[in-house]
Amino acid sequence: MKNDKFAINISHSEPGPGDAGQTGSWRVERPVLDAAKCIPAKTGKESCFLCWMYCPDGVISRTIPPGFDFQYCKGCGICAEECPADAITMVRETESGDETTGC
Amino acid sequence: MNTVSKAIDLPIEELVHPGNRACSGCGLSLIYRTALKALGRDTILVVPPSCLTVLQGLYPIAATQLPCVNVTFASTAAAASGVQAALRAQGRQNTLVAAWAGDGGTSDIGIQALSGACERQENFIYICYDNEAYMNTGVQRSGTTPAGALTTTTPLVGKAQQRKNVARIVAAHDIPYVATCSASYPLDLYNKMARARTMTGIRYFHIHTPCPAGWGFDPRFTVKMGKLAVETGLFELYEIENGRFSLTGASKRLLDKERTPVEKYFSVQSRFKVLPREQVERIQQETDRRWNELKQTQS
Amino acid sequence: MHCIETGNTAAATGVKLARTQVIAAYPITPQTPLTEKLSEFVAAGEMKAEYIPVESEHSALSVCIAASSAGARAFTATSANGLLYMHEQIHWAAGARLPIVMCVVNRGVGAPWSVWNDHQDSMSQRDTGWIHLHAASHQQIIDTVIQAFRIAETVRIPVMVCYDGYLLSHTYMPYEVPDQDKVDRFLAGSAPARLLDPSSPMNLNTVTLPNTRPDVRGDIAPAYMEIRHCLQQDLTRTTAVVEQADRDYRDLTGRGGHPLYECYRCEDAEFIAICLGSLSRQLRGVVDSLRSASVKTGVIALRLYRPFPAEQLVPELDKARGVLVFEKALSYGYEGPLFSELKAALYHGSRRPVLHNCIVGLGGRTITTADLHTALADFCVDPETVRKASPQWIGLAPLK
């Protein structure tokens, strides 16, 4: 982007995570998975993954069981709402008993 | 081309980074993530001011792993034409150009450039994500805001006018492919987008995109809200391919099912809280009339 | 090759010889024949370019902005209200540092409608960050268009090549067309940067914050103000690039030698007239006539208007007793823009010539040589008295 004489600065952004910082700090509630109800966890098979599909931020892993990236999860609760097995519940951050907020 | 029928059929690779500035429960985030899986890495994006500008990140970090040119509000389709012209001139024919604009950027300020590009039969995909108001500037009415909706510029009694049907306006240009989609049906969206990826000519997508902040509902209901719009028959999923109209997915299945009363959709969003009962009834009647027509032509 | 053609054809031929890859065009008088000619070149296979017949000038420049971002050499042309309709995009093209070349076939702006020549249109785009070059003859039009691509691509700043509507655009005059191989040599190694490429994705011109912040590697990236400062720095350095382009062009074609401004009989001139465009040719006759009456006058045609070559102009002007600025544009409520700028440039000089401003030819009003002669002659006789009437409107009809 540079030569000797002309600096030629332009506004060009490069891909990278976390432009808005650790968006996990936005969370009021966090998703908690009950592996006993989760279909892939229960069957041990790659299946369902509706939580992964519907997550707006792509912070749910397509793994058995699915995992949450709490560094960036904004806590919207769509995963809990759409889980066909009611395996995810949203718990208030202050009541979750887990200090790892990721922030 | 393989169509997907289950979530696990979707490509696992993510082209949008987390930690972006989209609101919690953003419908656009959901469709953007899904659509980019269908478009793939060999794609150049064209984006005017919109919520996507914010989602994509503030300089110098970008949430998107694809090249993107941000352009002025009115110029999206013209800019997409320009990228495509450069690619043709350089023999880079395989690279796809995809324009992403909101409903204001498409139905209002950008419609001239869009119409021009359609008339010229340009070669790119144009995506309008319709969250039914100028959300990025704080929920002002747009050409696609539905009648009765409260916005910050229709603050007391809601919007007095009908929304304009942009997909039908675009279809009137006789372009090869027009599709409507919803953020609540990512598989339908993926399939249509992946198929459009293989076509040439201008391809238009109109994607119904629930917005928790602008419509007034809890972010956890984004998917439910989009589904309600389809299940009440207020928003239809369809394709118009070479002039042939066909309902698809959940809307096609709705031909043989009882539709949810529109009242249910209006009652769960605070933007419709002043919508008078009589108007809800009129909208129900109009919806019934439209679906009777659809049943006759689509069955 | 020697030919006799219109100024618009001269411009189109320059665009063709530069092997422009993307042309976007929307008709507007008096620019239209230029883009018609280009469409003819493309349709006849004489030129391999993508010709996009857009639905507005706003879109015309948008196509060029996007095509240039993707690394293609892009061109458009317009006039008057078409240029004004582009205004947002004109700022954008400069801020995004895209080497687009655009011909502005100067025309008065509405209201009321006028299709005839003045310079109000390009003047209104003065502060957008573009390089402004003015051609004063058909030969300068073709030569300047070709040089514009080299200049734009070297400094990555868009260039406007301005020339007078009808007076140059539609009149037939002789000029030399350079050989294709010479133009190819002149532009060898010059091309727009390919910024849009899936193999190295970047997101161009996203929202840029007031203050600096780290990039993905943790290095502090320049913010809006640094980016704009850089445009200013690079633009001021462009003067040397314009001079170099003209030198190289002269080496190839034998033409050139007045890259920033063209002086006519200025060496010993006590009074200098200065203007933009074809008016300078008419003023040469006036100068000759006054010289034959022993009044030492000269005329300067400014070729490079932005960046403003103040440093080079001041020594040409401050040796004169008086400088008369003839302008076809006005900053309403004050005076001619070029006049203000020259006045400011001369402020720090050791000698300050008397300055006077004449407004002429708005909306194509006929500029008679007799009027020009009277204005300059009167100024030479009593500059101090005459200057008090600045800006003086020349050629106004005496109405009741």
Side-chain angles (χ1 to χ4, degrees):
Chain A
M1 202 83 356
K2 291 185 177 178
N3 66 24
D4 294 341
K5 277 176 77 184
F6 296 93
I8 310 182
N9 279 328
I10 56 167
S11 171
H12 66 287
S13 302
E14 292 170 82
D19 156 60
Q22 304 205 340
T23 50
S25 66
W26 300 7
R27 218 166 43 239
V28 180
E29 293 180 327
R30 67 162 52 202
V32 176
L33 182 84
D34 181 350
K37 289 184 182 169
C38 169
I39 297 165
K42 230 169 34 179
T43 59
K45 283 188 187 144
E46 288 246 314
S47 57
C48 186
F49 290 133
L50 291 183
C51 53
W52 169 79
M53 180 178 81
Y54 281 121
C55 176
D57 287 281
V59 294
I60 301 179
S61 63
R62 216 172 82 170
T63 51
I64 304 171
F68 305 96
D69 180 350
F70 286 117
Q71 196 177 347
Y72 294 120
C73 167
K74 294 169 184 166
C76 67
I78 291 175
C79 53
E81 197 60 32
E82 298 306 318
C83 174
D86 286 332
I88 302 171
T89 43
M90 298 303 289
V91 178
R92 282 193 78 79
E93 279 294 337
T94 48
E95 295 161 13
S96 68
D98 183 349
E99 294 305 311
T100 40
T101 57
C103 308
Chain B
M1 200 209 72
N2 295 330
T3 56
V4 301
S5 55
K6 299 188 292 296
I8 54 166
D9 299 334
L10 289 170
I12 201 157
E13 190 186 29
E14 301 293 340
L15 296 175
V16 187
H17 281 295
N20 61 53
R21 284 168 201 271
C23 301
S24 179
C26 172
L28 168 61
S29 291
L30 176 43
I31 61 171
Y32 192 54
R33 212 190 125 218
T34 311
L36 294 200
K37 285 174 189 273
L39 298 176
R41 283 192 183 273
D42 196 8
T43 302
I44 294 173
L45 302 172
V46 179
V47 175
S50 73
C51 289
L52 185 52
T53 323
V54 178
L55 188 161
Q56 292 209 109
L58 305 189
Y59 168 83
I61 302 172
T64 310
Q65 297 174 47
L66 303 180
C68 173
V69 58
N70 287 272
V71 299
T72 60
F73 213 178
S75 66
T76 315
S81 307
V83 176
Q84 183 58 45
L87 295 179
R88 278 198 304 274
Q90 295 163 342
R92 294 199 277 163
Q93 312 289 55
N94 292 333
T95 300
L96 175 80
V97 179
W100 278 83
D103 47 288
T106 301
S107 74
D108 296 339
I109 194 168
I111 200 165
Q112 173 174 310
L114 175 58
S115 177
C118 288
E119 185 271 335
R120 291 192 304 274
Q121 298 288 338
E122 294 284 352
N123 182 24
F124 59 82
I125 292 180
Y126 188 105
I127 298 151
C128 169
Y129 67 93
D130 184 3
N131 49 27
E132 301 187 333
Y134 288 86
M135 297 313 184
N136 189 32
T137 45
V139 202
Q140 294 80 28
R141 91 191 270 291
S142 79
T144 70
T145 301
L150 292 172
T151 68
T152 54
T153 50
T154 54
L156 301 177
V157 293
K159 186 183 171 188
Q161 301 82 11
Q162 291 293 329
R163 66 179 181 201
K164 61 171 114 169
N165 192 331
V166 185
R168 293 305 193 100
I169 294 169
V170 171
H173 292 76
D174 287 335
I175 64 170
Y177 187 69
V178 172
T180 61
C181 298
S182 161
S184 304
Y185 300 92
L187 298 174
D188 176 71
L189 168 65
Y190 178 88
N191 284 332
K192 285 171 176 167
M193 197 73 75
R195 202 154 72 79
R197 177 79 171 84
T198 67
M199 300 175 182
T200 51
I202 188 158
R203 293 140 276 171
Y204 177 81
F205 280 77
H206 199 94
I207 309 179
H208 195 237
T209 309
C211 169
W215 294 7
F217 64 83
D218 191 295
R220 67 187 290 152
F221 297 126
T222 296
V223 171
K224 289 253 171 357
M225 214 54 67
K227 283 190 174 167
L228 258 183
V230 170
E231 286 161 1
T232 52
L234 284 165
F235 188 85
E236 298 126 37
L237 304 174
Y238 63 78
E239 293 173 306
I240 304 173
E241 194 171 353
N242 296 317
R244 215 183 123 78
F245 176 97
S246 47
L247 288 174
T248 56
S251 292
K252 192 176 182 182
R253 292 193 290 277
L254 203 59
L255 287 168
D256 309 315
K257 279 167 63 178
E258 195 161 329
R259 276 171 284 115
T260 307
V262 297
E263 159 71 22
K264 178 113 191 261
Y265 179 73
F266 294 127
S267 66
V268 290
Q269 300 173 46
S270 69
R271 64 175 172 157
F272 291 116
K273 68 183 177 201
V274 297
L275 190 65
R277 179 97 245 121
E278 315 81 71
Q279 197 173 340
V280 174
E281 279 162 22
R282 277 202 304 278
I283 294 170
Q284 184 65 65
Q285 285 162 13
E286 172 55 26
T287 308
D288 293 344
R289 190 196 59 74
R290 206 172 62 251
W291 275 87
N292 283 335
E293 274 179 21
L294 284 169
K295 276 179 185 163
Q296 280 164 21
T297 54
Q298 292 289 296
S299 297
Chain C
M1 187 187 76
H2 193 70
C3 75
I4 300 177
E5 262 295 351
T6 64
N8 277 332
T9 300
T13 307
V15 173
K16 182 179 82 164
L17 289 168
R19 299 191 190 277
T20 304
Q21 292 166 292
V22 174
I23 298 157
Y26 189 76
I28 187 168
T29 304
Q31 166 276 129
T32 313
L34 158 52
T35 43
E36 284 174 345
K37 181 56 82 180
L38 287 170
S39 71
E40 189 184 312
F41 286 152
V42 173
E46 285 180 52
M47 182 181 185
K48 197 174 174 304
E50 299 292 328
Y51 187 95
I52 317 291
V54 287
E55 78 297 329
S56 77
E57 287 92 352
H58 192 274
S59 285
L61 196 49
S62 181
V63 164
C64 292
I65 285 168
S68 187
S69 302
R73 188 171 281 168
F75 175 85
T76 187
T78 190
S79 296
N81 288 60
L83 184 70
L84 305 190
Y85 193 40
M86 285 179 178
H87 180 63
E88 176 191 30
Q89 306 283 51
I90 291 174
H91 274 285
W92 193 273
R97 303 295 301 264
L98 299 168
I100 297 160
V101 172
M102 170 163 68
C103 280
V104 175
V105 186
N106 288 117
R107 162 184 159 179
V109 300
W113 281 121
S114 166
V115 296
W116 295 276
N117 168 246
D118 69 33
H119 293 151
Q120 198 69 46
D121 53 359
S122 62
M123 273 299 169
S124 73
Q125 308 303 316
R126 182 186 68 168
D127 302 332
T128 54
W130 282 55
I131 296 160
H132 288 228
L133 289 164
H134 280 260
S137 68
H138 291 48
Q139 188 65 61
Q140 284 188 6
I141 292 173
I142 184 167
D143 293 343
T144 305
V145 164
I146 293 165
Q147 291 180 24
F149 286 100
R150 157 87 86 89
I151 296 163
E153 288 162 12
T154 304
V155 300
R156 300 225 334 236
I157 295 171
V159 179
M160 249 176 236
V161 178
C162 306
Y163 57 91
D164 293 324
Y166 291 116
L167 301 171
L168 294 176
S169 69
H170 283 61
T171 51
Y172 284 74
M173 291 292 280
Y175 56 89
E176 288 291 326
V177 177
D179 297 336
Q180 181 68 64
D181 71 300
K182 284 184 180 169
V183 178
D184 287 346
R185 261 186 286 158
F186 179 70
L187 294 174
S190 183
R194 185 182 288 189
L195 303 170
L196 291 173
D197 189 344
S199 64
S200 59
M202 57 170 87
N203 206 311
L204 301 175
N205 300 304
T206 47
V207 178
T208 300
L209 291 165
N211 295 315
T212 56
R213 66 194 292 247
D215 64 15
V216 288
R217 286 169 297 278
D219 299 330
I220 296 296
Y224 186 92
M225 204 150 160
E226 286 73 28
I227 289 168
R228 288 292 170 151
H229 179 251
C230 181
L231 172 61
Q232 164 73 357
Q233 294 292 99
D234 288 348
L235 199 45
T236 51
R237 286 187 203 117
T238 295
T239 314
V241 176
V242 173
E243 288 170 330
Q244 184 62 47
D246 200 68
R247 268 197 298 277
D248 293 347
Y249 193 79
R250 186 174 47 194
D251 290 346
L252 280 171
T253 66
R255 281 192 308 281
H258 33 70
L260 310 183
Y261 49 85
E262 205 181 19
C263 293
Y264 180 76
R265 303 187 81 167
C266 288
E267 313 77 46
D268 61 340
E270 291 179 30
F271 294 92
I272 294 174
I274 183 165
C275 67
L276 296 165
S278 63
L279 183 63
S280 61
R281 296 302 195 260
Q282 201 177 355
L283 280 163
R284 285 182 181 186
V286 175
V287 162
D288 288 343
S289 163
L290 286 166
R291 286 239 173 209
S292 63
S294 301
V295 186
K296 287 183 179 171
T297 55
V299 61
I300 294 178
L302 194 55
R303 180 178 182 242
L304 180 68
Y305 177 60
R306 276 293 181 279
F308 194 64
E311 199 185 309
Q312 293 82 357
L313 267 177
V314 168
E316 297 285 351
L317 298 172
D318 72 0
K319 59 182 189 258
R321 275 180 59 204
V323 174
L324 178 45
V325 186
F326 286 99
E327 286 192 81
K328 296 182 180 179
L330 185 60
S331 175
Y332 283 88
Y334 195 34
E335 57 194 13
L338 177 59
F339 181 66
S340 293
E341 289 164 4
L342 284 173
K343 210 161 55 170
L346 288 160
Y347 181 82
H348 292 292
S350 49
R351 298 181 60 245
R352 291 188 196 158
V354 180
L355 294 171
H356 182 46
N357 189 195
C358 288
I359 307 300
V360 295
L362 298 188
R365 170 59 54 91
T366 305
I367 303 168
T368 68
T369 304
D371 278 349
L372 295 175
H373 189 281
T374 305
L376 189 53
D378 287 354
F379 182 60
C380 296
V381 170
D382 186 0
E384 277 299 341
T385 306
V386 166
R387 74 159 181 91
K388 293 191 176 110
S390 281
Q392 179 191 350
W393 290 53
I394 304 285
L396 278 180
L399 300 177
K400 277 189 217 162

